[in-house]
């Protein structure tokens, strides 16, 4: 049971919340404790939703983010300003993550749902030399806290947000430890002192500070009876791997366009509407180098079809995702049955091509 650890991960959320009513009708809300703070409008792709790290050792990317986010100790405040002369509703919120920094959990070697075999790579070595020399630790002090600001509003059938966040990159950045005395003429495969990297470890792992600016909007179209979603972010300070030089700091631009519609399909034997949701995710490395494993530009498309039967207790669904650069497709059919208020059974299958 890995949740029973020093961080008390078995406690999913534990916080207190209080409202203060102002004389002008506005409301101030304060929340303190272990919590999830969710930004953005998209599913699966974390464009703005990067405040909490994620535990990918639980079913890789196939679980709902609500179930795999790692709650952290935070202080959040929200000023509910209500309607203005222009907007139908508006609010301003601030979140301060005071917890000790934790990266995404990529899983350990041997776990069925480890991500990209990262755990096995980090645990391996080249001959007697370990891959990892050291993992940078960040003290729990004021300088290492993470803070974000969000302004959100409603205008007619559109909801929007503007977001700013200072945080740490949650994926590891590998810093190569070169052997400055390396001489190809003296290389000896049996003597680690002659290797091009240092003998006590090839890489140090860092998690650099990142600044994010972004926004999101969703628009309900009455003519289509559907919702269009858009989310974007621009970041400075991320570090991406390179094949010949360890890593490089680069600016990143990401966006997601989504479409959601509820549709009744009588031929499928239910009067309940099916949810049809499609998304296109795009990522652009603005300071790309030719030796980076990731493409300079990439697109991923997903589609979800989900239905309900037996008074919404039986729910089949299928998720299809295609990565353009990898030329790979995943199909994930599943079925969920709500046996009672306390028991739920889920059967799923992941097919990769």
């Amino acid at each position: 049971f890995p949740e029973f650890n020093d961080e008390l991960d078995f406690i999913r959320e534990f916080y207190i919340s209080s409202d203060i009513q102002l004389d002008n009708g506005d409301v101030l809300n304060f929340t303190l404790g272990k919590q999830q703070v969710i930004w953005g409008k998209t599913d699966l792709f974390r464009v703005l939703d990067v405040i909490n790290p994620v535990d990918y050792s639980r079913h890789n990317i196939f679980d709902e983010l609500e179930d795999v986010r790692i709650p952290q100790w935070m202080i959040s405040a929200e000023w509910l300003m209500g309607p203005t002369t222009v907007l139908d509703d508006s609010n301003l919120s601030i979140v301060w993550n005071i917890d000790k920094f934790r990266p995404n959990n990529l899983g350990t070697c041997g776990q069925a749902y480890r991500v990209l075999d990262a755990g096995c790579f980090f645990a391996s070595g080249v001959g007697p030399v370990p891959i990892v020399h050291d993992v940078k630790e960040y003290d729990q002090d004021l300088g290492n806290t993470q803070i974000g600001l969000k302004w959100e509003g409603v205008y007619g059938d559109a909801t929007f947000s503007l977001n700013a966040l200072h945080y740490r990159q949650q994926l590891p950045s590998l810093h190569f430890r070169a052997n400055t005395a390396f001489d190809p003429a003296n290389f000896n495969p049996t003597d680690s002192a002659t290797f091009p990297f240092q003998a006590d470890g090839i890489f140090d792992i860092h998690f650099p500070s990142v600044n994010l600016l972004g926004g999101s909007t969703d628009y309900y179209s009455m003519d289509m009876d559907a919702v269009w979603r858009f989310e974007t972010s621009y970041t400075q300070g991320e570090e991406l791997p390179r094949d010949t030089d360890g890593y490089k700091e680069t600016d990143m631009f990401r966006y997601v366009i989504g479409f959601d519609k509820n549709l009744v399909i009588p031929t499928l034997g239910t009067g309940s509407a099916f949810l049809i949701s499609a998304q296109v995710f795009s990522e652009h490395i603005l300071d790309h180098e030719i030796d980076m494993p990731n493409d300079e530009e990439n697109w991923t498309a997903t589609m979800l079809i989900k239905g309900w039967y037996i008074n919404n207790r039986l729910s089949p669904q299928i998720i299809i995702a295609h990565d353009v650069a990898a030329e790979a497709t995943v199909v994930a059919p599943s079925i969920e049955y709500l046996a009672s208020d306390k028991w739920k059974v889920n059967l799923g299958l992941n097919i990769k091509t």
Side-chain angles (χ1 to χ4, degrees):
F1 298 98
E3 294 83 5
F4 290 87
N5 51 31
D6 293 340
E7 288 80 17
L8 306 179
D9 283 344
F10 66 92
I11 302 176
R12 290 296 297 163
E13 292 183 273
F14 182 77
Y15 58 84
I16 57 174
S17 182
S18 177
D19 291 339
I20 299 176
Q21 188 78 40
L22 302 182
D23 293 339
N24 64 353
D26 293 0
V27 176
L28 292 178
N29 171 267
F30 297 92
T31 303
L32 169 64
K34 195 174 188 182
Q35 55 186 301
Q36 299 183 43
V37 175
I38 303 166
W39 281 4
K41 309 285 185 180
T42 61
D43 303 318
L44 183 61
F45 304 110
R46 303 178 68 225
V47 177
L48 294 175
D49 185 18
V50 294
I51 297 177
N52 292 86
V54 170
D55 184 0
Y56 288 115
S57 68
R58 288 189 45 176
H59 297 164
N60 204 298
I61 64 171
F62 301 107
D63 269 357
E64 297 287 342
L65 283 172
E66 181 181 1
D67 297 326
V68 295
R69 288 190 198 92
I70 300 174
Q72 294 206 283
W73 294 95
M74 305 187 212
I75 301 171
S76 61
E78 187 172 18
W79 178 14
L80 306 174
M81 295 175 280
T84 67
T85 55
V86 177
L87 300 176
D88 299 314
D89 195 11
S90 61
N91 63 75
L92 182 68
S93 62
I94 185 170
V95 57
W96 185 19
N97 187 341
I98 59 175
D99 210 339
K100 185 175 181 180
F101 170 74
R102 292 181 65 182
N104 293 333
N105 184 354
L106 304 182
T108 59
C109 192
Q111 284 186 300
Y113 290 100
R114 61 190 183 273
V115 175
L116 301 175
D117 275 335
C120 293
F121 174 70
F122 294 151
S124 64
V126 177
V129 182
I131 291 292
V132 176
H133 167 259
D134 186 39
V135 178
K136 174 67 174 176
E137 293 280 346
Y138 300 93
D139 295 333
Q140 190 173 4
D141 57 31
L142 185 62
N144 285 320
T145 57
Q146 304 169 78
I147 190 166
L149 184 70
K150 180 179 72 168
W151 177 49
E152 194 169 26
V154 178
Y155 182 78
D157 293 327
T159 301
F160 68 89
S161 75
L162 297 175
N163 308 69
L165 180 67
H166 175 76
Y167 69 109
R168 286 201 176 275
Q169 180 174 310
Q170 294 162 349
L171 289 174
S173 174
L174 301 181
H175 289 209
F176 181 68
R177 305 176 67 244
N179 180 2
T180 57
F182 173 66
D183 182 355
N186 295 328
F187 176 70
N188 181 352
T190 63
D191 183 1
S192 59
T194 67
F195 289 0
F197 38 78
Q198 297 189 33
D200 57 349
I202 302 175
F203 296 104
D204 285 333
I205 295 180
H206 291 246
F207 299 91
S209 293
V210 178
N211 293 315
L212 176 150
L213 292 175
S216 66
T217 183
D218 58 45
Y219 172 73
Y220 173 69
S221 171
M222 294 185 63
D223 294 337
M224 301 179 68
D225 189 24
V227 175
W228 289 93
R229 294 178 282 111
F230 178 73
E231 183 174 330
T232 186
S233 71
Y234 173 82
T235 63
Q236 293 180 321
E238 291 192 54
E239 294 179 357
L240 297 185
R242 298 180 63 178
D243 290 337
T244 58
D245 196 21
Y247 74 97
K248 181 178 181 179
E249 181 179 315
T250 177
D251 296 352
M252 301 288 295
F253 176 64
R254 300 178 175 93
Y255 67 85
V256 175
I257 300 173
F259 174 82
D260 303 314
K261 182 174 178 62
N262 291 310
L263 183 65
V264 177
I265 310 176
T267 55
L268 294 180
T270 177
S272 299
F274 280 74
L275 171 62
I276 301 175
S277 179
Q279 297 183 127
V280 175
F281 168 73
S282 181
E283 179 179 84
H284 302 259
I285 303 173
L286 301 183
D287 301 298
H288 188 267
E289 298 288 348
I290 194 171
D291 63 338
M292 285 182 169
N294 293 354
D295 287 358
E296 183 175 1
E297 299 177 340
N298 189 28
W299 288 266
T300 303
T302 68
M303 174 167 283
L304 163 70
I305 303 175
K306 184 178 181 68
W308 288 268
Y309 294 83
I310 316 178
N311 296 323
N312 295 336
R313 297 177 65 182
L314 182 68
S315 179
Q317 73 173 31
I318 184 169
I319 299 175
I320 304 171
H322 178 74
D323 188 296
V324 174
E327 298 181 350
T329 302
V330 174
V331 181
S334 66
I335 187 167
E336 180 181 278
Y337 178 65
L338 186 63
S340 67
D341 293 339
K342 297 182 179 180
W343 290 95
K344 180 171 64 176
V345 180
N346 196 314
L347 178 65
L349 180 67
N350 302 319
I351 305 169
K352 304 177 183 178
T353 63

